[in-house]
Amino acid sequence: MVLRSKNLVRYVFQNQHKLIQQLLVQGGPVRACSGHGGTQQQAQLRVEEDDNFPKIAEVPPLAAPFPMTIEHAADVGEQFKYSDLSVRLAAPHQLNPKPDVDDLAFGKYFTDHMLKVPYHRRLGGWQKPEITPMENLNLHPAAKVFHYAIELFEGMKAYRGYDGKIRLFRPEMNMARMNVTAYRSGLPTFEGEELIKAMARLVMIDSEWVPHTESASLYIRPTLIGIEPTLGVASSDSALLYTILSPVGPYFKPGAKGLKLYAEPKYTRAWPGGVGDRKVGSNYGPTIHVQQEALRHGCHQVLWLYGDDHQLTEVGVMNIFMLYMKENGERELLTPPLNGLILPGITRDSIIRLCHQWGEFSVREQKFTMPEIKKLSKQGRLLELFGAGTAAVISPIEHISYMGEEIHVPTESHDNPLYRRLYNTLTDIQYGKLDHPWAYVID
């Protein structure tokens, strides 16, 4: 059989992961996005069979944090389909060197390909999706995204499991939240399942960028922007949906202690009736100044407060949870409610569902305030505080700097803290150690 060069390149791109797996099985050295040899990777990813290994049953039927389906407006037009996807592979000179896993920083490196789906209302709606080499976007200076922040994005990850399979984590949740945000932003909605399949194909084409270690993953950033080249605050009749991939290590440095938070009531991240519950870039840019102020005060992240009673809302770009002891001696887990002030996080929803299923303590979505935190701390009933999100998974909090007071949180002082159990359970699902419907295996 004779393969022409173009077909050979395509074949290598689509099947190189199989070659890597075979080399790993044989114990031979291989250069992947990790910087470690095959046997070392095998040892790192191996899971021993254990009858006592925790099993997870079905998740309780709790309500979804946002509509899982959306009815497209009549003027959106035609929807794009995965079956129409075309692929244009990168030429050899367009391929990027893969970094060692120890050098990975969040959002610093990008893979060889990207997914693009244009939208033009005048052409009937969504156009055909295409995977192309990673390239710059060519946009008019008057594109609405530049002037009115008409854009939104999602954050997802692909994980290479101990068995070599690549998994996504609850991708249908990201698609549903992205559509809700698109509707709120005046951008066209789409069929989430079609985008999931297209992104899965993108991940498989760049599969060797998925790190061969459980200490790293491949970050997936689907983005939707308004590109109509006209000034004026109005919906955009043209848009671009695209996805880029980036191998990432831990969001916070390994071995770092719990987070120290800067709680300054004069700053507010979101307010009722706004878009604090939507993943739009305009929620993030204005927080940079406050984050820099937090760093000057020796803190890692900002603890965002709201209202005269100083309600806790989010920590940095994460949702927040508090485990405390009630007056009757029972434990209870609290997280702020979905009242428009916080992002309805997928990790947040997963934590709530897991804890409901375990049934070991009560779980409530209700507001709690800094005066209550101070009271619980003085009474010795504050057990844990931790942040949760896709980028960092779960991050323990050990200190809050608030209005001249320093509040210690004993999150890591317990033998078996809840945050660590949740972290282990979630990552075991993501890396395939626990078989669970939340894991979306890419074939």
Side-chain angles (χ1 to χ4, degrees):
M1 180 179 66
V2 177
L3 290 177
R4 296 186 182 277
S5 59
K6 184 176 180 180
N7 292 332
L8 177 60
V9 170
R10 179 179 293 110
Y11 179 86
V12 171
F13 263 96
Q14 293 177 345
N15 295 276
Q16 56 183 322
H17 63 287
K18 297 178 182 178
L19 173 62
I20 298 294
Q21 279 301 111
Q22 186 62 30
L23 290 173
L24 287 176
V25 170
Q26 296 175 355
V30 59
R31 175 68 173 90
C33 186
S34 65
H36 300 293
T39 53
Q40 187 173 354
Q41 290 165 339
Q42 278 187 297
Q44 189 173 16
L45 296 177
R46 184 180 295 117
V47 178
E48 302 294 342
E49 294 295 330
D50 186 349
D51 292 337
N52 296 322
F53 203 73
K55 303 296 190 299
I56 298 180
E58 290 297 320
V59 177
L62 299 176
F66 36 74
M68 293 302 296
T69 58
I70 191 167
E71 184 176 347
H72 306 295
D75 61 351
V76 168
E78 292 292 326
Q79 291 293 315
F80 68 85
K81 299 178 181 178
Y82 170 72
S83 58
D84 293 329
L85 176 70
S86 63
V87 178
R88 177 164 54 92
L89 295 174
H93 72 275
Q94 295 175 299
L95 302 179
N96 297 311
K98 296 179 178 66
D100 290 334
V101 71
D102 293 337
D103 296 332
L104 291 179
F106 192 84
K108 181 179 180 180
Y109 301 99
F110 296 94
T111 68
D112 300 318
H113 297 86
M114 65 187 299
L115 169 69
K116 293 190 287 188
V117 192
Y119 173 88
H120 300 289
R121 181 169 286 123
R122 71 180 186 281
L123 298 180
W126 287 104
Q127 307 300 296
K128 293 182 179 181
E130 180 185 19
I131 290 175
T132 72
M134 184 70 168
E135 57 191 6
N136 294 333
L137 301 179
N138 185 14
L139 298 178
H140 193 281
K144 289 188 179 293
V145 62
F146 297 139
H147 301 270
Y148 311 113
I150 298 180
E151 64 86 47
L152 57 100
F153 63 93
E154 275 296 325
M156 309 166 58
K157 285 182 178 179
Y159 311 85
R160 189 182 299 277
Y162 77 99
D163 53 2
K165 295 180 180 179
I166 298 174
R167 294 170 174 83
L168 308 180
F169 183 73
R170 307 185 74 185
E172 72 285 353
M173 298 289 288
N174 294 93
M175 297 298 95
R177 187 172 66 181
M178 194 171 186
N179 263 322
V180 170
T181 306
Y183 181 81
R184 181 68 167 83
S185 303
L187 288 167
T189 53
F190 56 90
E191 289 295 323
E193 182 60 29
E194 300 301 306
L195 182 56
I196 291 174
K197 290 186 287 188
M199 290 191 298
R201 178 73 180 280
L202 175 65
V203 170
M204 288 310 299
I205 289 175
D206 280 344
S207 61
E208 289 316 311
W209 285 85
V210 184
H212 292 255
T213 171
E214 292 180 45
S215 63
S217 56
L218 185 69
Y219 190 78
I220 305 172
R221 173 54 65 85
T223 307
L224 179 57
I225 62 176
I227 61 172
E228 182 182 350
T230 59
L231 299 179
V233 183
S235 61
S236 183
D237 286 343
S238 294
L240 179 64
L241 173 61
Y242 67 91
T243 301
I244 54 178
L245 310 175
S246 174
V248 296
Y251 194 78
F252 298 108
K253 293 181 179 180
K257 295 182 179 180
L259 297 178
K260 181 177 181 181
L261 305 183
Y262 178 67
E264 174 50 69
K266 70 179 181 180
Y267 296 118
T268 301
R269 191 196 77 92
W271 49 89
V275 290
D277 57 349
R278 299 292 176 253
K279 206 165 181 65
V280 293
S282 55
N283 281 337
Y284 297 86
T287 69
I288 295 174
H289 169 77
V290 190
Q291 173 63 23
Q292 291 174 335
E293 186 171 313
L295 293 175
R296 288 196 296 270
H297 283 80
C299 297
H300 302 106
Q301 293 285 328
V302 178
L303 176 57
W304 296 101
L305 307 178
Y306 173 78
D308 294 336
D309 54 353
H310 299 173
Q311 302 169 35
L312 286 75
T313 60
E314 292 194 357
V315 48
V317 295
M318 298 181 287
N319 295 124
I320 190 168
F321 286 83
M322 175 179 72
L323 182 68
Y324 76 106
M325 190 77 70
K326 297 195 293 185
E327 291 184 350
N328 62 5
E330 296 179 353
R331 293 185 302 163
E332 182 169 73
L333 183 67
L334 295 184
T335 192
L338 299 179
N339 57 5
L341 297 179
I342 69 169
L343 187 72
I346 283 83
T347 306
R348 172 188 182 276
D349 181 77
S350 304
I351 290 172
I352 293 172
R353 291 174 184 273
L354 286 174
C355 291
H356 269 293
Q357 177 188 324
W358 293 340
E360 299 172 8
F361 43 82
S362 58
V363 182
R364 286 200 295 164
E365 299 175 64
Q366 73 167 47
K367 72 175 185 179
F368 51 98
T369 68
M370 281 306 303
E372 291 172 337
I373 292 285
K374 290 173 55 180
K375 179 181 178 181
L376 290 171
S377 177
K378 291 179 179 179
Q379 295 177 346
R381 295 195 288 126
L382 179 61
L383 302 178
E384 297 182 39
L385 280 173
F386 52 87
T390 297
V393 190
I394 296 178
S395 297
I397 298 166
E398 71 169 14
H399 197 92
I400 301 176
S401 179
Y402 169 69
M403 299 184 69
E405 296 187 54
E406 304 297 325
I407 303 171
H408 174 70
V409 186
T411 304
E412 297 191 275
S413 300
H414 315 289
D415 291 335
N416 297 295
L418 173 63
Y419 90 86
R420 190 174 299 150
R421 179 183 177 188
L422 287 165
Y423 176 89
N424 290 338
T425 302
L426 289 171
T427 54
D428 284 351
I429 294 172
Q430 292 162 349
Y431 288 95
K433 293 181 180 179
L434 290 180
D435 187 20
H436 197 280
W438 287 348
Y440 181 101
V441 179
I442 299 178
D443 297 320

